[in-house]
Amino acid sequence: MELRPLALSEVVEIHPSRHSDERGYFSEIFRQDWFRTHVANVDFVQENQSLSANAGTIRGLHFQTPPFAQGKLVRCLAGAIFDVAVDLRAGSPRYGQWVATELTAEEGNQLWVPEGFAHGFCTLEPDTVVCYKVTAYYSPEHDKGTAWDDKDIGVEWPNIADPTSLSAKDQVQPRLADLPACFPFEG
């Protein structure tokens, strides 16, 4: 596996090795010991999957607050996404900054989004399937978000992003300036 640090160094893109032949490929996509040594010493407790029928579907920006804060290991099983992480750690010198990468089924790359970061994505192809492991169970009371189009964050979404695809929940997410301090910066 190969790591590619992004501009927010805590967020990491992972490229699992693929061994190909005329039949296709084999890829080890996750090893707990490798992940703990090279990325983060965490345990994953739940795995989620979503299907987005249309290209341009926006999901996010989501996070869970402590004590159910989640780190996420995201990958695309079919199609492609523009995957985004936003630093929400109060006191961080990068508070409100974002990074993004394209995750594709073809490439098999993954994105590690640690606790203290909001996560969201825009599908780039129809029938896109996204799967992600999380480090805490889903808790409705701790499920939060921030506006996908907040100008204070300034995510440069792809032109295909379709605001009419937002869920009812995502249509009313607060702006960054209106979020309480949910995560401390421990840098």
Side-chain angles (χ1 to χ4, degrees):
M1 292 192 201
E2 178 186 322
L3 293 178
R4 183 179 142 229
L6 301 178
L8 298 176
S9 60
E10 298 86 352
V11 180
V12 180
E13 186 176 350
I14 301 167
H15 291 263
S17 300
R18 285 189 173 176
H19 306 283
S20 301
D21 62 23
E22 66 281 354
R23 300 168 296 167
Y25 71 82
F26 170 83
S27 183
E28 186 175 83
I29 59 169
F30 179 76
R31 278 186 62 110
Q32 184 78 13
D33 59 346
W34 182 90
F35 194 87
R36 283 184 172 168
T37 299
H38 296 95
V39 181
N41 187 12
V42 297
D43 290 313
F44 293 103
V45 298
Q46 182 176 319
E47 190 165 18
N48 304 316
Q49 185 170 312
S50 70
L51 164 68
S52 298
N54 298 316
T57 300
I58 303 162
R59 294 181 185 258
L61 300 162
H62 302 144
F63 60 94
Q64 282 195 175
T65 57
F68 291 94
Q70 294 178 325
K72 296 179 180 179
L73 181 60
V74 184
R75 67 188 182 110
C76 191
L77 301 178
I81 61 173
F82 178 79
D83 205 23
V84 177
V86 179
D87 189 346
L88 296 181
R89 298 168 302 159
S92 168
R94 297 176 307 272
Y95 181 79
Q97 293 181 17
W98 63 277
V99 292
T101 194
E102 189 173 311
L103 301 182
T104 69
E106 183 178 332
E107 191 169 332
N109 54 332
Q110 303 172 39
L111 189 67
W112 166 244
V113 181
E115 290 181 16
F117 288 75
H119 172 255
F121 62 85
C122 174
T123 59
L124 302 174
E125 297 178 11
D127 298 319
T128 291
V129 178
V130 175
C131 182
Y132 54 98
K133 297 177 184 328
V134 293
T135 59
Y137 294 109
Y138 175 71
S139 170
E141 302 83 37
H142 299 86
D143 183 18
K144 308 293 181 197
T146 189
W148 74 281
D149 62 347
D150 188 334
K151 293 190 184 341
D152 289 339
I153 298 171
V155 174
E156 295 173 15
W157 294 95
N159 290 335
I160 197 170
D162 179 6
T164 67
S165 70
L166 291 167
S167 68
K169 175 179 91 170
D170 287 344
Q171 290 176 27
V172 296
Q173 294 289 11
R175 300 279 176 203
L176 181 67
D178 297 326
L179 285 180
C182 299
F183 306 100
F185 175 64
E186 298 169 4

